[in-house]
Amino acid sequence: MSMSRSAHREVWRVVRAHPEAVGSMLDVLTAKADESETNAVLLGNVVSAGVRVAKAAVVERKTVIADFIDRVLISAKATPSYSSVRDMQAFLELIGSEFDQTFRPTISRMLVRSPEAVLPTCLWLLQAVGRDNIDLAPMYLEALAEPLAGTQLRSANESVRRAAAQLLAYLGDTPKTQEDAERAADIITRPLTLGRYTQTEQRTAAYNLLSSVRAGPGNGWASSAVILTALLKMTGKETQEAPVNALFAAIGAHFGVLIGQQNVERAECAAVIKTFVEAAQKGLALPDRSAVVRQAWAADAIGEPLWAWADAGADSESPLVRDYVQPLLVTLAAIAEKATAAPLAVGGGTLGAHVGLALALRLRPSGVDVDALAKHAANGDKSLVMWDKVFHKCSRRAECVWLLRCAEALFASGCSDKRLADPVMWIACRMPGATLETVRAAIDALATMSRTDATRLWRIVGETLFTEMDRSAPVAPTLCTWADVLHAALTGAGAAELAAAALT
């Protein structure tokens, strides 16, 4: 239930006009004989206006209003409307640090009795009071983390699991000290490492949650070190695609935190990174029967964080590269080199090879003949990147993204082969089952290449682009228009002249 804007304005007008009546209004709205969610919405608006014109009357009734929220909103048998909770924001900000001691007992009780009703309400209340206004870490650590991770995330009810994950993700960055960050990470990973999540759906939800959990500023490395250590223990226990993808995405997210420039010199981070690298080397050597896990290691756990790290201006001469990252890049480059000889013979697909090629061309690790690798990947009829029998097998988002990154990297290294347009235009225009993400990735790749050298790109893609336009409209016009493609291809310097030439 919510109020219209006109009703909201009318309440504020009446309260401002009659501040002496605020106390009586609050008494009527909080009376036990007439409790309802409707009163909650109206009460929230009266309080919001009242704290500005009659704050003393509101403060005098803090206990009564808090009891009303306790009975009508938190203890409700069904989740109240979002607006009825949101409209209490002014009161929640008023009580500030008293929030914990006022509402923790009832929230803890309702988490046991009716989690499906109270979890959304609890999240909305905490969002209303604000992480910046009060320290929510004590409530998170002492009352919420353990039941949420140990009980609600194990629920058979999907809505309970989802709401618990949202609440944990919101509270994840509230710990302010290294000790609290490590303690919180230990609490939320313990059920996972102890094998309490027996269902695939439960573990997948836990992995998705852990992927999004971050500690507060300055302590992210402490939380990520604990979480990554726990996640690495699970890598040999998952075989199905959904939990595998969620697990390795979470591993990559926290590996990415640890290799941040401000964290790399910490001895604690270095120890966990070393453990990660050792596990990753074993993962990249898995046989073809474990290709799903091997590809997840390559793309999600290693590739994504290193690509983001490169985007952030990674120092290729840093000790981190020399001691930890370079061995992984060499291994991935060897996978790519082997695949260039016979791309279709690679067991489980070419995703790992594309990751290795793109990272090698981007980061240029010592110990790898990058120019020779680029030549082998581009030359010949059976190119690892430009052969239609290779890129027609790409359908999943990760496969398309890494193929496009290979095209970008080859172009940046000086490749002018006109076939380089084929995989990009195929993903943008004709790939069956295209999604907004894959089409957007292809358009972004064109824009990146255009910014590198718009003239050379136009020589490569111009003919192919017009051929595609003559052949048909894009396979999914709602995802991509020719204006999008043309704009991306003509993004770089000198594009205006190219556009004029194209139109003539």
Side-chain angles (χ1 to χ4, degrees):
M1 178 173 292
S2 61
M3 295 178 62
S4 67
R5 289 185 178 180
S6 59
H8 177 86
R9 287 195 295 268
E10 187 66 17
V11 170
W12 277 62
R13 186 188 67 79
V14 170
V15 171
R16 286 197 299 267
H18 303 282
E20 74 283 355
V22 169
S24 299
M25 294 180 189
L26 295 176
D27 291 339
V28 171
L29 291 171
T30 56
K32 291 186 178 181
D34 190 25
E35 293 178 345
S36 70
E37 190 180 327
T38 304
N39 281 13
V41 175
L42 188 55
L43 176 64
N45 280 274
V46 171
V47 170
S48 296
V51 294
R52 290 166 172 77
V53 298
K55 187 174 182 179
V58 179
V59 172
E60 183 181 341
R61 293 164 177 80
K62 279 199 306 182
T63 302
V64 175
I65 298 171
D67 287 344
F68 179 90
I69 295 174
D70 211 55
R71 296 191 312 270
V72 177
L73 299 181
I74 300 176
S75 299
K77 294 181 179 179
T79 304
S81 66
Y82 170 67
S83 62
S84 65
V85 181
R86 177 202 60 198
D87 289 341
M88 294 293 177
Q89 182 171 354
F91 175 75
L92 296 173
E93 291 176 348
L94 177 67
I95 64 173
S97 59
E98 298 175 31
F99 178 92
D100 189 347
Q101 66 184 45
T102 302
F103 298 118
R104 185 199 290 194
T106 307
I107 290 173
S108 297
R109 184 174 67 251
M110 291 301 295
L111 282 175
V112 177
R113 291 184 180 180
S114 186
E116 66 279 0
V118 78
L119 282 170
T121 306
C122 183
L123 175 61
W124 298 336
L125 285 170
L126 293 173
Q127 289 174 333
V129 74
R131 290 175 295 191
D132 297 332
N133 295 326
I134 66 171
D135 183 9
L136 294 175
M139 187 174 185
Y140 173 44
L141 292 168
E142 298 166 11
L144 296 178
E146 190 165 350
L148 289 175
T151 303
Q152 270 71 58
L153 275 183
R154 296 166 56 197
S155 172
N157 187 326
E158 182 183 356
S159 63
V160 171
R161 294 198 304 269
R162 182 170 58 250
Q166 291 172 341
L167 183 51
L168 279 169
Y170 179 76
L171 292 168
D173 66 353
T174 56
K176 299 297 190 294
T177 66
Q178 177 183 339
E179 181 181 358
D180 282 349
E182 291 175 339
R183 179 185 170 195
D186 179 66
I187 291 173
I188 62 177
T189 57
R190 195 180 304 146
L192 185 67
T193 55
L194 292 178
R196 301 278 174 80
Y197 301 133
T198 57
Q199 303 297 318
T200 299
E201 295 81 5
Q202 296 171 350
R203 295 195 302 278
T204 302
Y207 298 142
N208 287 332
L209 161 68
L210 293 173
S211 181
S212 62
V213 168
R214 299 288 187 275
N219 297 312
W221 66 270
S223 177
S224 288
V226 174
I227 294 174
L228 182 56
T229 300
L231 291 172
L232 290 175
K233 297 176 182 178
M234 304 300 297
T235 55
K237 301 178 181 180
E238 300 291 359
T239 57
Q240 299 182 40
E241 187 171 357
V244 163
N245 290 340
L247 168 61
F248 285 94
I251 288 174
H254 291 286
F255 174 57
V257 172
L258 294 187
I259 61 176
Q261 195 62 42
Q262 71 277 19
N263 297 326
V264 69
E265 295 181 359
R266 297 181 185 274
E268 303 95 325
C269 293
V272 178
I273 291 173
K274 181 180 179 181
T275 302
F276 168 85
V277 171
E278 292 171 352
Q281 292 285 19
K282 294 177 181 178
L284 294 175
L286 289 171
D288 290 345
R289 65 175 179 272
S290 300
V292 171
V293 177
R294 187 181 66 211
Q295 291 180 350
W297 267 114
D300 297 325
I302 304 171
E304 288 297 338
L306 289 185
W307 194 265
W309 183 63
D311 284 342
D315 179 5
S316 60
E317 303 298 324
S318 70
L320 174 65
V321 174
R322 182 185 66 245
D323 298 336
Y324 300 113
V325 174
Q326 185 168 288
L328 290 177
L329 295 176
V330 171
T331 299
L332 284 166
I335 293 172
E337 183 65 53
K338 182 179 179 181
T340 60
L344 298 185
V346 178
T350 56
L351 176 58
H354 286 150
V355 173
L357 175 62
L359 288 176
L361 292 175
R362 181 79 184 276
L363 295 173
R364 305 188 74 83
S366 59
V368 176
D369 190 339
V370 177
D371 294 333
L373 176 60
K375 181 179 179 180
H376 296 159
N379 290 349
D381 296 332
K382 299 180 179 180
S383 166
L384 179 61
V385 178
M386 296 175 280
W387 188 18
D388 59 354
K389 289 187 177 181
V390 172
F391 61 75
H392 282 178
K393 289 182 177 292
C394 297
S395 57
R396 296 185 294 120
R397 175 194 169 278
E399 293 170 332
C400 295
V401 165
W402 283 103
L403 175 65
L404 291 166
R405 286 172 177 172
C406 286
E408 288 180 36
L410 283 173
F411 182 81
S413 68
C415 178
S416 299
D417 193 322
K418 286 193 173 184
R419 294 178 302 159
L420 199 58
D422 296 342
V424 180
M425 298 305 296
W426 182 76
I427 293 174
C429 306
R430 290 189 287 120
M431 187 179 79
T435 66
L436 180 61
E437 283 186 308
T438 56
V439 172
R440 193 72 251 170
I443 292 175
D444 289 344
L446 275 176
T448 299
M449 295 159 75
S450 181
R451 285 190 290 268
T452 301
D453 189 336
T455 303
R456 179 158 57 93
L457 176 65
W458 190 255
R459 288 200 299 267
I460 293 173
V461 304
E463 183 178 342
T464 303
L465 193 152
F466 285 120
T467 300
E468 292 289 346
M469 292 176 69
D470 289 339
R471 178 183 296 178
S472 65
V475 67
T478 58
L479 302 180
C480 171
T481 66
W482 288 118
D484 295 326
V485 178
L486 283 167
H487 181 269
L490 297 169
T491 297
E497 293 79 2
L498 294 171
L503 292 174
T504 58

